[in-house]
Amino acid sequence: MGHLISSTTMLQEARRNGYGITAFNVHTLEMLQAVVEAATELDAPLILQTTVGTVKHLGPEYIVAAAQTAAKLSNVPIALHLDHCTDYDLLVKCIRAGYTSVMIDASMFPFDENVACSLEVVKVAKAAGVNVEAELGKVGGVEDDIVVEEADARLAIPEECLRFVELTGVPTLAPAIGTAHGIYKGEPNIAFDRIAEIASLVDLPLVLHGGSGIPAEQVRRCVALGMAKMNVATELRIAFSDAIKNVFNANPDENDPRKYMVPAKQAVKSLAMEKMHLVGCVGRAQELKL
Ligand code: 13P
């Protein structure tokens, strides 16, 4: 493809055609390479994403450079997204560094304040050709420093979703619909009727947060209802770390990252491929280039 692209068009196409695009939270170069290899082999569009914690850990310039290199070497469309950002200055810094999509998470504020924060971000992002995602309601669980107790999680209200997109002009919306970040204790309690109601009012790509551990059939239902982006973080991190733990358990003296990273990379790649098949984005890359 050559360069990183905004995720707006690819997500609109996914919603229009009834499939989803996987967005993977990556924390190391190997994780990034693994999901890019998965997308390239399956001819799938890809959203690379990093949390604020990872931006602080690696620095936005290193992340952008690695993602741009991936986009240059691969022939599938790739976007680079900043996940759950509550800090306007950091968000602008990431846009300046080359991120092509950002999430402003002001879901902890009352509706009007969420609108005001999101509107500010839409203004700068639109001028830079960058996609914006905003959250309504409150997704439960833990993502980086954002901790939402089960009792504080709130489903998005359909009429508010409509009003929110009218007032802010956000191109993508993440409504809380019962999923949570992290691994579920039991089955997630997804409000499918709520998704359908929101999707009937808001003709935008909707974003499914908390993609780890949702049973396959439930993911397919969410996607069919209009959730065009699925975020996966925890499962990927576990696959990567478990593979490294297995190496050290079998061989405590191993000290070559070029060896112990190999199964970790493979584990991430296999899992990414599985999720891509699940949301239906396999084989969709080339048509997005037209
Ligand atoms: P999981 O950690 O549950 O996969 O959630 C990822 C996510 O929604 C990131 O925003």
Side-chain angles (χ1 to χ4, degrees):
M1 256 327 247
H3 54 87
L4 293 172
I5 59 164
S6 160
S7 55
T8 308
T9 308
M10 63 162 96
L11 289 171
Q12 282 168 345
E13 282 302 295
R15 163 105 202 237
R16 206 166 61 83
N17 291 295
Y19 65 91
I21 295 177
T22 30
F24 297 110
N25 287 54
V26 295
H27 309 286
T28 70
L29 179 60
E30 286 83 0
M31 288 181 90
L32 184 147
Q33 288 175 320
V35 298
V36 171
E37 276 178 28
T40 307
E41 278 179 36
L42 294 182
D43 196 40
L46 174 68
I47 300 175
L48 293 167
Q49 60 186 29
T50 66
T51 58
V52 168
T54 306
V55 169
K56 288 181 178 162
H57 177 63
L58 294 175
E61 295 82 5
Y62 278 102
I63 297 169
V64 169
Q68 279 174 345
T69 302
K72 198 163 101 188
L73 298 178
S74 169
N75 71 343
V76 298
I78 302 178
L80 177 62
H81 176 77
L82 175 65
D83 195 20
H84 287 284
C85 191
T86 56
D87 175 347
Y88 179 83
D89 292 341
L90 185 79
L91 193 144
V92 170
K93 193 172 171 190
C94 286
I95 292 178
R96 289 219 174 98
Y99 275 67
T100 57
S101 178
V102 290
M103 177 182 187
I104 168 69
D105 183 356
S107 62
M108 64 294 292
F109 298 128
F111 181 81
D112 289 346
E113 218 172 317
N114 191 348
V115 167
C117 292
S118 303
L119 198 53
E120 279 305 295
V121 171
V122 169
K123 274 189 215 150
V124 287
K126 267 210 175 135
V130 164
N131 187 48
V132 180
E133 177 181 325
E135 178 172 320
L136 266 187
K138 222 187 244 180
V139 176
V142 180
E143 183 62 63
D144 255 10
D145 297 338
I146 302 176
V147 181
V148 178
E149 299 298 337
E150 213 173 310
D152 296 328
R154 262 188 294 110
L155 294 186
I157 298 164
E159 295 71 25
E160 279 193 359
C161 290
L162 177 60
R163 213 143 54 83
F164 187 85
V165 300
E166 285 172 351
L167 290 169
T168 61
V170 285
T172 36
L173 183 70
I177 45 79
T179 56
H181 296 124
I183 293 297
Y184 298 92
K185 289 191 195 94
E187 285 232 336
N189 188 11
I190 299 180
F192 293 104
D193 290 352
R194 187 66 68 105
I195 304 174
E197 250 184 284
I198 295 168
S200 72
L201 293 174
V202 176
D203 190 25
L204 294 177
L206 303 176
V207 181
L208 181 62
H209 277 253
S212 293
I214 304 177
E217 199 38 53
Q218 298 191 18
V219 171
R220 285 192 204 102
R221 272 180 82 184
C222 290
V223 170
L225 287 169
M227 308 215 75
K229 172 178 182 252
M230 180 170 82
N231 291 357
V232 182
T234 307
E235 265 190 272
L236 221 58
R237 220 158 18 89
I238 292 174
F240 185 76
S241 306
D242 281 355
I244 295 175
K245 285 179 207 167
N246 289 341
V247 173
F248 285 118
N249 283 338
N251 182 5
D253 295 330
E254 180 56 68
N255 58 18
D256 188 341
R258 294 164 302 178
K259 292 197 177 133
Y260 63 73
M261 286 291 190
V262 172
K265 213 172 140 179
Q266 188 51 48
V268 169
K269 183 174 170 182
S270 305
L271 186 63
M273 285 178 149
E274 200 184 293
K275 300 293 181 189
M276 286 169 178
H277 279 290
L278 186 55
V279 299
C281 60
V282 170
R284 293 287 189 165
Q286 301 316 312
E287 68 197 25
L288 287 169
K289 292 176 171 179
L290 301 175

